[in-house]
């Protein structure tokens, strides 16, 4: 009996020393229900009473021995596998990484946000209006009757007789004044449309930023002071502004407003084409007819309005000479801002 047990121990140790051993098979062979050790324990009944505890103890020791030998072998194999994996999957930290392309804001969005920030800082709120607009808001309510020559320069795309793509952001003025009583202080940035052929300075789609202030005692001096502050914020502290008399049907008096070139300080350079100034917006005192149309009494209230071309500001600020670059979505161009 004792010899059988010792032989079982020796055999088990021998099989576990093999590097490619099937551990589970060894476990079944010696410790399983039909295993060699179990068979010995089953035969205990036939052993004499004095021998029984000695053989029993030895059998238990051998079971423990085989169990721990199996556990040890399992650990050894697991570790060998891990080492092999680590060796195979070695990482070369000197290989250059894969570049992840990061998007950025479009120059038009950068400037629009900057404009919004400046005006919000002066107490303006942002108002929105539809791009598909009634002719009434785009023209009639702005004091531009049918057949008025001012419509020529703002020819746009018509959905039907009454509905068109807005040619300016000015209709938002009317929509706001219809709903809100003074004091009013809003800006409205957005897309506008005109049936213009594409070239370096024209596009059938472009962007404007409208501004409107209506309250008691609003004067041209308020408009001038506000625009001066805006221009210094946008283009630098030395910027000067210049008003040239102009005509807009929805303002009286009206002006076109230029800012001095930040590049040459007004002396004239390539950026401003020798002018020293560049035109960026139209402005004026809201026409009494427009106030009346919106049920605001022009004898009590007055206001000023302005409309700024966002593309113009972008092209001036970044020294871009062809507007088409802003719409072609060429990342080589866009990644420069
Ligand atoms: N809507 C005009 C345009 O597209 C720009 C403009 C001029 C807007 C004078 C105004 C303004 O609000 O007062 O040419």
């Amino acid at each position: 009996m004792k010899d059988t047990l010792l032989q079982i121990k020796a055999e088990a140790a021998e099989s576990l020393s093999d590097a490619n051993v099937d551990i589970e098979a060894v476990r079944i062979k010696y410790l399983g229900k039909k295993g060699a050790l179990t068979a010995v324990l089953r035969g205990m009944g036939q052993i004499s009473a004095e021998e029984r505890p000695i053989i029993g103890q030895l059998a238990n020791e051998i079971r423990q021995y085989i169990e721990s030998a199996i556990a040890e072998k399992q650990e050894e194999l697991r570790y060998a596998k891990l080492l092999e994996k680590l060796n195979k999957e070695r990482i070369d930290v000197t290989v250059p990484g894969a570049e992840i392309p990061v998007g950025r804001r479009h120059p038009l969005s950068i400037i629009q946000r900057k404009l919004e920030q400046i005006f919000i800082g002066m107490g303006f709120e942002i108002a929105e209006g539809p791009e598909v607009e009634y002719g009434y808001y785009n023209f009639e309510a702005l004091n531009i009757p049918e057949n008025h020559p001012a419509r020529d320069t703002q020819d746009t795309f018509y959905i039907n007789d009454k509905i068109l793509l807005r040619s300016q952001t000015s209709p938002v003025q009317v929509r706001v004044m219809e709903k809100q009583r003074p004091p009013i202080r809003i800006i409205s940035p957005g897309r506008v449309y005109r049936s213009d052929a594409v070239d370096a300075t024209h596009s059938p789609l472009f962007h404007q930023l409208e501004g409107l202030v209506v309250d008691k005692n609003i004067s041209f001096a308020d408009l001038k002071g506000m625009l001066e502050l805006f221009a210094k914020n946008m283009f630098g502290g030395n910027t000067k502004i210049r008003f040239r008399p102009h005509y807009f049907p929805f303002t009286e008096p009206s002006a076109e407003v230029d800012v001095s070139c930040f590049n040459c300080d007004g002396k004239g350079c390539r950026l401003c084409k020798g002018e020293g100034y560049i035109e960026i917006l139209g402005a004026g005192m809201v026409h009494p007819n427009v106030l009346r149309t919106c049920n605001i009494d022009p004898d009590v209230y007055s206001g000023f309005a302005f409309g700024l071309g966002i593309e113009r500001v972008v092209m001036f600020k970044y020294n871009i000479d062809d507007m088409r670059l802003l719409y072609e979505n060429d990342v080589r161009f866009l990644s420069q801002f």
Side-chain angles (χ1 to χ4, degrees):
M1 211 54 151
K2 193 174 165 190
D3 291 346
T4 319
L5 282 172
L6 290 174
Q7 202 185 330
I8 289 173
K9 182 181 177 184
E11 265 177 32
E14 163 87 19
S15 5
L16 286 171
S17 69
D18 179 352
N20 298 314
V21 66
D22 179 349
I23 294 179
E24 186 54 14
V26 171
R27 198 187 60 77
I28 291 168
K29 185 171 174 194
Y30 297 99
L31 305 178
K33 266 191 203 141
K34 293 176 185 157
L37 200 62
T38 319
V40 171
L41 291 170
R42 283 228 180 87
M44 292 282 279
Q46 279 127 51
I47 313 173
S48 67
E50 304 108 65
E51 257 192 319
R52 208 175 287 154
I54 302 164
I55 296 296
Q57 196 190 345
L58 181 63
N60 267 334
E61 276 169 21
I62 290 177
R63 162 180 288 276
Q64 275 167 16
Y65 167 80
I66 297 176
E67 276 172 356
S68 64
I70 285 177
E72 230 169 76
K73 189 72 187 178
Q74 257 166 350
E75 180 57 24
E76 193 184 308
L77 289 182
R78 196 192 60 78
Y79 186 66
K81 234 188 189 155
L82 177 68
L83 275 185
E84 189 188 319
K85 201 171 162 196
L86 285 175
N87 263 324
K88 252 203 323 237
E89 297 176 3
R90 180 172 296 169
I91 294 169
D92 182 352
V93 294
T94 66
V95 171
E99 194 185 339
I100 301 167
V102 179
R104 54 181 73 214
R105 255 175 218 138
H106 192 282
L108 276 167
S109 304
I110 298 173
I111 295 296
Q112 184 179 318
R113 276 172 200 239
K114 169 115 190 164
L115 293 165
E116 287 170 3
Q117 272 165 9
I118 293 173
F119 285 109
I120 286 170
M122 292 194 281
F124 285 75
E125 281 171 33
I126 295 181
E128 279 184 275
E131 290 170 29
V132 181
E133 182 58 286
Y134 286 106
Y136 171 77
Y137 288 106
N138 197 76
F139 291 127
E140 280 101 280
L142 287 167
N143 205 31
I144 314 172
E146 223 168 319
N147 304 318
H148 191 286
R151 290 204 184 194
D152 275 2
T153 57
Q154 301 219 358
D155 192 17
T156 180
F157 304 95
Y158 284 79
I159 310 292
N160 60 36
D161 282 357
K162 290 195 158 69
I163 300 175
L164 44 72
L165 298 185
R166 67 180 182 189
S167 62
Q168 47 185 349
T169 43
S170 305
V172 182
Q173 287 187 33
V174 179
R175 287 184 171 271
V176 169
M177 283 191 281
E178 269 185 351
K179 281 211 248 39
Q180 202 181 314
R181 297 295 90 189
I184 291 169
R185 209 185 286 150
I186 59 106
I187 54 164
S188 188
R191 293 193 191 100
V192 299
Y193 302 83
R194 291 191 195 172
S195 67
D196 285 336
V198 173
D199 66 24
T201 53
H202 292 86
S203 162
L205 181 162
F206 59 104
H207 299 74
Q208 289 187 336
L209 183 137
E210 193 77 12
L212 174 70
V213 171
V214 184
D215 203 349
K216 287 178 178 153
N217 301 315
I218 297 292
S219 74
F220 205 94
D222 295 313
L223 169 65
K224 199 174 169 214
M226 192 278 302
L227 285 180
E228 211 165 87
L229 191 58
F230 156 71
K232 286 188 195 312
N233 263 310
M234 189 70 206
F235 302 106
N238 290 331
T239 310
K240 291 177 281 296
I241 55 172
R242 184 172 81 175
F243 286 71
R244 286 176 290 105
H246 199 75
Y247 170 77
F248 295 108
F250 35 87
T251 43
E252 180 60 34
S254 305
E256 277 188 332
V257 179
D258 307 334
V259 294
S260 60
C261 178
F262 63 79
N263 195 42
C264 62
D265 234 354
K267 289 184 207 56
C269 68
R270 271 182 51 166
L271 183 60
C272 57
K273 303 197 172 62
E275 290 286 323
Y277 279 81
I278 113 141
E279 182 206 324
I280 58 157
L281 58 86
M285 301 307 292
V286 181
H287 197 291
N289 286 352
V290 177
L291 292 174
R292 245 178 248 122
T293 299
C294 301
N295 274 318
I296 294 175
D297 185 349
D299 294 326
V300 180
Y301 293 103
S302 56
F304 64 73
F306 58 94
L308 167 148
I310 299 182
E311 272 79 357
R312 269 180 174 261
V313 175
V314 171
M315 291 169 76
F316 179 47
K317 262 243 146 57
Y318 293 126
N319 196 2
I320 299 168
D321 58 4
D322 193 327
M323 198 170 169
R324 285 168 287 203
L325 288 164
L326 295 174
Y327 309 116
E328 284 166 351
N329 283 338
D330 185 334
V331 287
R332 290 171 303 179
F333 170 75
L334 295 176
S335 61
Q336 295 176 62
F337 302 94

